[in-house]
Amino acid sequence: MSKRRPFVAGNWKMNGSRAESAALLDGVKAGVSNASKAEVAVCPPFILIPLAAEKLAGSAVAWGGQNLNVNKSGAFTGEISGPMLKDFGCSYVIVGHSERRSLYGESDATVAEKYGAAQAHGLIPILCVGETLAEREGNQTEAVVARQLDAVLAKHGVASLKNAIIAYEPVWAIGTGKTATPQQAQDVHRFIRERIAKQDKGVADAVRILYGGSMKGSNAGELIGQPDIDGGLIGGASLVADEFLAICRAAD
Ligand code: PEP
């Protein structure tokens, strides 16, 4: 059993009316208690963060953003900064999600900058890494994940991982209903931990590495039961309270 506290985060992506989100927040809050072993967080779209703050204040569920701008404020139309997220009670922010990398052209260098900006403003970055199907089929999985991780470690140092969470999200498994097998996921999680351990074994042992990619209540237990898998970053299944709570229970 892992000595690290399990962590389950929901990435709502661009989903949810105000009414649907209020019901979802109420449902998640009702199902997660302070006695839960797993730490739980939800990352709604920016516009719903005040609602999350209102609904979740004082509960066992934290909240965070899905992205941030690296600047504090200024002429960046359409953007949201770290201090703004912090002001609305966010504890976490996702950086480097594959959709940001592929649809919005975020490079490893940009992701590393965002990771640093998050930490500079008191937010814990959830750093996403993962390979595409073509990269996996070309035996590039480890090289890709290493490159994405190294960009952050080179800029911010291995000690920065004391205040970060990593999410391994194979791109081919995100939103596809195709989950990595527990062994496939465990192999990459171990690779990531061993790579960090080459720089600092203590940090490697402590850092939480989540799996993301079509995780649901029915497959969460087996995935999170792997020695190097410390929880999940959940997309689709985080939009259904009962499904998300089933994953939280599996992580408990
Ligand atoms: C995600 O968007 O981070 C994700 C893992 O999505 P899904 O659970 O829907 O595959």
Side-chain angles (χ1 to χ4, degrees), residues 26-47:
D26 284 340
V28 171
K29 176 176 159 176
V32 179
S33 82
N34 284 309
S36 303
K37 185 169 170 235
E39 257 181 286
V40 177
V42 293
C43 299
F46 289 139
I47 201 167

Side-chain angles (χ1 to χ4, degrees), residues 131-183:
E131 82 289 0
T132 63
L133 185 59
E135 288 163 342
R136 173 161 283 263
E137 287 175 349
N139 288 322
Q140 292 301 303
T141 298
E142 291 188 351
V144 169
V145 167
R147 192 199 72 223
Q148 293 171 336
L149 182 65
D150 290 356
V152 168
L153 297 185
K155 193 167 170 70
H156 302 291
V158 68
S160 73
L161 288 176
K162 290 180 191 166
N163 277 316
I165 291 174
I166 297 171
Y168 167 58
E169 298 208 310
V171 179
W172 48 272
I174 297 177
T176 58
K178 234 178 166 185
T179 315
T181 65
Q183 193 57 54

Side-chain angles (χ1 to χ4, degrees), residues 38-39 45 83 107 146 161 190 192 209 229 239:
E39 257 181 286
S107 64
L161 288 176
R190 190 185 48 230
I192 292 170
I209 308 176
I229 302 184
L239 298 171

Side-chain angles (χ1 to χ4, degrees), residues 11 13 97 99 169 173-176 212-215 233-237:
N11 171 15
K13 312 195 189 194
H97 191 280
E99 287 151 20
E169 298 208 310
I174 297 177
T176 58
S214 300
M215 191 185 268
L233 178 57
I234 325 299

